[in-house]
Amino acid sequence: MEHGLDDYTQDGTVDLKGKPVLRSKRGGLRACFFVVVYEVFERMAYYGISSNLVVYMTKKLHQGTVKSSNNVTNWVGTIWLTPILGAYVADAHLGRYWTFVVASVIYLSGMSLLTLSVSLPALRPPLCKDANVENCKEASTLQLAVFFGALYTLAIGTGGTKPNISTIGADQFDDFHPMEKAYKLSFFNWWMFSIFFGTLFANTILVYIQDNVGWALGYGLPTIGLVISVAIFLAGTPFYRHRQPTGSPFTRMAKVMVAALCKWKVSVPNDPKELHELDLEEYAKAGKFRIDSTPTLRFLNKAAVKTGSTDPWMLCSVTQVEETKQMLRMIPILISTFVPSTLIAQINTLFVKQGTTLDRQIGNFKVPPASLAGFVTLSMLVCVVLYDRFFVRIVRRWTKNPRGITLLQRMGIGLVFHIIIMITASLIERHRLSVARQHGLVEKGGQVPLTIFILLPQFVLMGTADAFLEVAKLEFFYDQAPESMKSLGTSYSTTSLGVGNFISSFLLSTVSHITKKHGHRGWILNNLNASHLDYYYAFFAIVNFLNFIFFLGVIRFYVYKAEVSDSMEVLAEELKGMRLREPNQVSAP
């Protein structure tokens, strides 16, 4: 049976053998099912570890507040930075699918070793019931080597899976097909909605098992779940659309910058047609897209000025220059997301430590402090549904934008929520400390007679902020990256979280050190009742406000990249037609 041109995808996707794929046979929602199911289990595994890691390090490895918190944020920071390497390997060498498969094996190895390290008594220090961890025996060098070796092996594995799995999912939709483009606009909303079911399970069931049944089972279950999820992903292989590796994005960008610098004295012609560019046929054969020249970052246009040399380090095509511009234009936006990412780091560190000082008893049930992170998930799930099902439909009637509001506007709303979160957290902590003083619990520490649920507002607000900032951030960096650098673009969003965690470690250590000078007690101590986390959170509120001002300045000069197809315009026209038809449908007999 012969197939017409419209039966094949038009976005350059192929099968694993490099052959064009039929739209009806591969991709779409069916292929996304296998991808999303994997991510549900993977998030269960990751958050099953990270949510309660500070508790394990404190109670089992006998580390103090600052040391355990920094160990968590340093590891999480590494988790979110290694995707840069994974994106490079995928875009330059192996492709997204094979990079993901190889990284999954490494990920499973790390999870298995970690489960072993928490299961064998010889791989952890002896049990200590002293409230002051400084009086407990520390973990040996071998015990720490096995434990942290497992954690960082796992981090290398996620470096290959994280930037590629969401990109593989988004690749299942053809930008040139209006209906598939419509699905793609909602993909990241429902992607976040689906994967946070895994997060919710980890923050409730798994942390309860870890605190009350045992760490071996608490880590063993997500390891088994990860094995199942990799098997499900592999089962979906016949249905996937793939993009072939297009060479190192870093090398292509470096060539543009070197060529522009070498020709810094050369004038850029007024007519963009005089710049060097390849024929459309060459791009079509390679499954790539040609991009027209833009006036932004005009200095880089010098790389495409013809001077007689054809050396690739001296002469670049207009498309190559524009791809570099697109990646560079996103960097100021990326920088503006570092500060809010430091707040996310507090969920699994200081927020959890606060919970350990409060009354967690509900009848015969004791609430695990890390389980409050489940309310971040619940809040986000509810907000994502409301946003996608109601907010977008209502707002786009006025904005005429299929997304409702722009991605940067959505991120801006999330940044405002982050300011509110830290003000709220500071006020709640101030109240907790006042109650501790009233009951004489400052010096000796101990449980404050307040329910752990007084912390709920800061957790719920964090989920609301994530529904705006984190979802928009993931979609923004994927959407605005050039077609041949999507994995690298996606890694920008993980880089934001990685840098944010390292900033959190730096700030926690620095503030702790500075506030202890000149005989002062300090803001962050092992005894939280004698600490001043309320000051620390207020400091964060101020930093986030200044960051929001920076963000407003940055977005004034940001220029969205041009669509590679007219599918957005077609979709907008279809939405307009639907609005025009609605009154007629109502008045019809």
Side-chain angles (χ1 to χ4, degrees):
M1 179 180 177
E2 293 186 2
H3 297 280
L5 184 61
D6 291 340
D7 294 332
Y8 292 92
T9 57
Q10 301 174 47
D11 60 352
T13 51
V14 296
D15 62 16
L16 278 176
K17 294 181 180 179
K19 296 179 180 179
V21 296
L22 287 169
R23 181 175 288 110
S24 60
K25 298 293 185 182
R26 290 175 178 261
L29 297 176
R30 178 177 55 181
C32 279
F33 167 79
F34 297 95
V35 177
V36 169
V37 168
Y38 165 82
E39 189 70 356
V40 171
F41 282 94
E42 191 279 330
R43 290 295 84 186
M44 181 184 75
Y46 168 69
Y47 283 103
I49 297 168
S50 63
S51 296
N52 224 14
L53 191 56
V54 71
V55 174
Y56 184 84
M57 289 183 176
T58 303
K59 291 187 175 181
K60 300 299 181 180
L61 299 184
H62 310 147
Q63 296 182 346
T65 299
V66 173
K67 186 175 183 179
S68 60
S69 295
N70 282 349
N71 278 333
V72 171
T73 50
N74 287 338
W75 173 70
V76 173
T78 305
I79 283 276
W80 293 114
L81 281 182
T82 51
I84 298 176
L85 177 62
Y88 164 76
V89 173
D91 284 341
H93 301 290
L94 297 181
R96 291 160 193 165
Y97 177 86
W98 289 114
T99 301
F100 174 87
V101 171
V102 172
S104 294
V105 175
I106 300 173
Y107 195 164
L108 284 171
S109 301
M111 285 292 295
S112 301
L113 182 59
L114 187 64
T115 302
L116 191 67
S117 73
V118 302
S119 302
L120 300 180
L123 293 178
R124 61 178 185 267
L127 183 67
C128 178
K129 296 185 178 180
D130 195 315
N132 189 352
V133 296
E134 293 176 354
N135 298 329
C136 298
K137 183 179 179 180
E138 294 183 357
S140 68
T141 302
L142 175 62
Q143 291 166 341
L144 291 176
V146 173
F147 183 75
F148 284 104
L151 284 178
Y152 283 92
T153 298
L154 192 156
I156 294 171
T158 57
T161 62
K162 200 70 212 151
N164 293 305
I165 187 65
S166 60
T167 313
I168 290 172
D171 284 347
Q172 304 312 308
F173 302 101
D174 188 349
D175 275 326
F176 288 87
H177 192 274
M179 184 56 69
E180 291 197 12
K181 183 72 172 184
Y183 286 135
K184 192 171 184 176
L185 293 183
S186 292
F187 168 73
F188 286 103
N189 285 333
W190 293 105
W191 169 261
M192 298 297 284
F193 179 86
S194 299
I195 65 176
F196 272 86
F197 276 115
T199 307
L200 182 61
F201 182 85
N203 289 333
T204 52
I205 306 300
L206 286 182
V207 297
Y208 177 80
I209 291 173
Q210 291 164 2
D211 281 5
N212 297 279
V213 180
W215 292 90
L217 183 61
Y219 279 14
L221 286 176
T223 302
I224 295 170
L226 191 63
V227 172
I228 295 171
S229 68
V230 172
I232 291 173
F233 174 85
L234 293 175
T237 299
F239 303 105
Y240 299 144
R241 298 173 186 173
H242 303 276
R243 290 190 183 276
Q244 295 177 312
T246 55
S248 168
F250 298 110
T251 302
R252 294 206 303 278
M253 293 168 65
K255 287 177 179 177
V256 171
M257 289 184 273
V258 169
L261 288 171
C262 289
K263 295 188 284 189
W264 66 278
K265 290 184 178 180
V266 175
S267 299
V268 178
N270 294 325
D271 186 358
K273 293 180 180 179
E274 295 180 28
L275 298 173
H276 173 63
E277 183 56 294
L278 305 178
D279 293 332
L280 270 173
E281 288 76 13
E282 294 191 43
Y283 288 107
K285 288 178 184 177
K288 298 181 181 179
F289 306 96
R290 193 168 75 175
I291 308 173
D292 293 333
S293 180
T294 61
T296 58
L297 298 176
R298 185 176 170 81
F299 175 79
L300 293 179
N301 289 348
K302 294 176 182 290
V305 175
K306 301 172 185 176
T307 57
S309 173
T310 58
D311 188 313
W313 289 91
M314 286 296 293
L315 183 65
C316 304
S317 67
V318 169
T319 295
Q320 189 176 343
V321 171
E322 292 303 317
E323 287 177 340
T324 303
K325 287 183 183 181
Q326 287 170 12
M327 296 306 296
L328 293 178
R329 277 200 299 260
M330 291 192 291
I331 290 179
I333 304 294
L334 172 63
I335 293 172
S336 71
T337 64
F338 290 164
V339 170
S341 292
T342 63
L343 267 64
I344 296 174
Q346 311 314 309
I347 297 174
N348 296 330
T349 53
L350 294 181
F351 283 11
V352 172
K353 288 288 290 183
Q354 280 179 283
T356 62
T357 69
L358 297 166
D359 181 10
R360 299 183 278 133
Q361 206 71 35
I362 302 179
N364 294 324
F365 178 75
K366 201 169 186 179
V367 179
S371 68
L372 286 191
F375 288 95
V376 176
T377 304
L378 285 172
S379 174
M380 183 175 183
L381 293 179
V382 172
C383 289
V384 165
V385 173
L386 293 176
Y387 184 91
D388 193 72
R389 297 289 89 189
F390 300 101
F391 180 82
V392 171
R393 293 184 178 184
I394 293 170
V395 173
R396 70 186 178 195
R397 293 176 180 271
W398 287 277
T399 63
K400 307 297 187 292
N401 186 334
R403 284 192 174 93
I405 57 177
T406 68
L407 294 173
L408 290 177
Q409 288 171 339
R410 186 174 180 178
M411 290 171 66
I413 294 172
L415 292 177
V416 172
F417 270 109
H418 276 281
I419 299 170
I420 297 171
I421 289 166
M422 295 322 292
I423 293 174
T424 303
S426 179
L427 293 174
I428 291 173
E429 176 63 7
R430 187 175 182 181
H431 174 61
R432 191 190 70 83
L433 291 174
S434 68
V435 174
R437 285 193 295 270
Q438 291 170 14
H439 290 80
L441 298 172
V442 174
E443 297 301 329
K444 63 180 182 180
Q447 188 180 94
V448 179
L450 283 173
T451 174
I452 191 173
F453 293 109
I454 67 164
L455 300 179
L456 268 187
Q458 61 205 57
F459 283 94
V460 171
L461 285 171
M462 188 68 80
T464 306
D466 284 353
F468 285 91
L469 179 59
E470 294 307 307
V471 177
K473 184 172 70 176
L474 177 61
E475 183 175 358
F476 174 81
F477 290 127
Y478 173 88
D479 183 76
Q480 294 297 294
E483 298 303 312
S484 60
M485 300 183 184
K486 291 296 188 186
S487 293
L488 180 60
T490 303
S491 74
Y492 271 25
S493 63
T494 62
T495 299
S496 165
L497 293 169
V499 174
N501 274 273
F502 283 117
I503 292 175
S504 177
S505 296
F506 170 77
L507 288 177
L508 190 64
S509 298
T510 304
V511 171
S512 175
H513 174 72
I514 291 176
T515 55
K516 284 179 182 177
K517 284 185 174 181
H518 309 300
H520 294 291
R521 178 173 282 180
W523 286 4
I524 304 141
L525 308 170
N526 290 339
N527 177 5
L528 290 191
N529 293 346
S531 303
H532 264 299
L533 285 184
D534 54 336
Y535 294 169
Y536 189 58
Y537 291 159
F539 164 71
F540 262 123
I542 294 170
V543 173
N544 272 271
F545 175 75
L546 296 175
N547 181 70
F548 179 66
I549 300 300
F550 170 73
F551 175 78
L552 292 179
V554 165
I555 64 174
R556 286 190 62 188
F557 302 100
Y558 186 79
V559 179
Y560 285 93
K561 78 164 190 175
E563 290 285 334
V564 297
S565 76
D566 63 350
S567 59
M568 281 293 282
E569 286 75 10
V570 172
L571 181 58
E573 288 299 316
E574 287 185 359
L575 292 171
K576 181 180 178 182
M578 289 171 61
R579 289 194 294 271
L580 292 174
R581 287 195 297 270
E582 284 173 359
N584 297 329
Q585 291 170 351
V586 172
S587 61

